[in-house]
Amino acid sequence: MQIWVDADACPTVIKDILYRAAERTKIQLALVANQPLRVPPSPYIRTLRVEQGFDVADNEIVRLVAPGDLVITGDIPLAAEVLAKQGQALNPRGELYRLDTIAQKLTMRDFMDTMRSSGLHTGGPASLSQSDRKAFAAELDTILNRYQRSKPAL
């Protein structure tokens, strides 16, 4: 398993949780962004810088993700593509995207996008709360613990 992060929009507090998890579990963490990122020195943490442009980072993550990998993203279309490649996708609020609900989430996203483009002010997402951070950390721990238990002993 590798963890991929759609890092351009990922909140710093979530990145910090991921850095600690990568160190603790010794799982590779790659942050994909179109700008330079500062990350702690670690053999388990790296950055991958991509060109500027619409969905360039998303497309690179989709290209590199393998079955069983985990992608951290709030981008629903990216999550759908990750699920189609048999990866896992977790948003920064701790919601694990699922195959049985991703189509509904895409439909709602497209509907809201249409509403915004017609001039309706729909507001943005709420700020990341303490309970969101806790939910993210708990779900991440669940995923990583499940992976650690399934690894064959050396």
Side-chain angles (χ1 to χ4, degrees):
M1 171 196 273
Q2 172 148 338
I3 302 171
W4 300 95
V5 182
D6 182 7
D8 287 319
C10 187
T12 301
V13 66
I14 298 302
K15 291 177 195 168
D16 291 340
I17 292 168
L18 290 164
Y19 300 150
R20 290 190 299 274
E23 286 296 320
R24 183 180 74 249
T25 61
K26 299 180 177 17
I27 292 175
Q28 294 296 313
L29 173 67
L31 293 96
V32 183
N34 60 22
Q35 57 193 346
L37 297 173
R38 297 181 85 150
V39 298
S42 168
Y44 308 107
I45 302 169
R46 69 185 174 100
T47 62
L48 178 58
R49 188 166 175 197
V50 296
E51 296 292 320
Q52 295 280 338
F54 185 72
D55 285 345
V56 175
D58 296 359
N59 293 338
E60 187 67 4
I61 291 170
V62 170
R63 186 180 77 76
L64 295 170
V65 73
D69 283 356
L70 174 62
V71 175
I72 309 303
T73 185
D75 185 302
I76 297 169
L78 172 57
E81 290 189 70
V82 168
L83 292 176
K85 288 190 76 176
Q86 299 177 0
Q88 302 174 81
L90 176 64
N91 79 19
R93 296 180 187 278
E95 180 185 5
L96 187 63
Y97 295 101
R98 298 184 351 227
L99 277 173
D100 62 338
T101 59
I102 196 70
Q104 176 185 357
K105 289 186 181 306
L106 280 167
T107 300
M108 181 56 78
R109 176 203 171 269
D110 292 344
F111 172 73
M112 296 304 287
D113 196 39
T114 300
M115 298 298 285
R116 283 187 292 275
S117 63
S118 70
L120 183 67
H121 180 66
T122 59
S127 297
L128 202 65
S129 70
Q130 186 64 30
S131 63
D132 292 331
R133 294 176 198 147
K134 286 180 181 179
F136 176 83
E139 189 63 37
L140 179 65
D141 279 347
T142 298
I143 293 165
L144 297 179
N145 287 334
R146 187 179 321 123
Y147 170 72
Q148 294 282 350
R149 286 192 307 269
S150 71
K151 283 192 328 188
L154 297 177

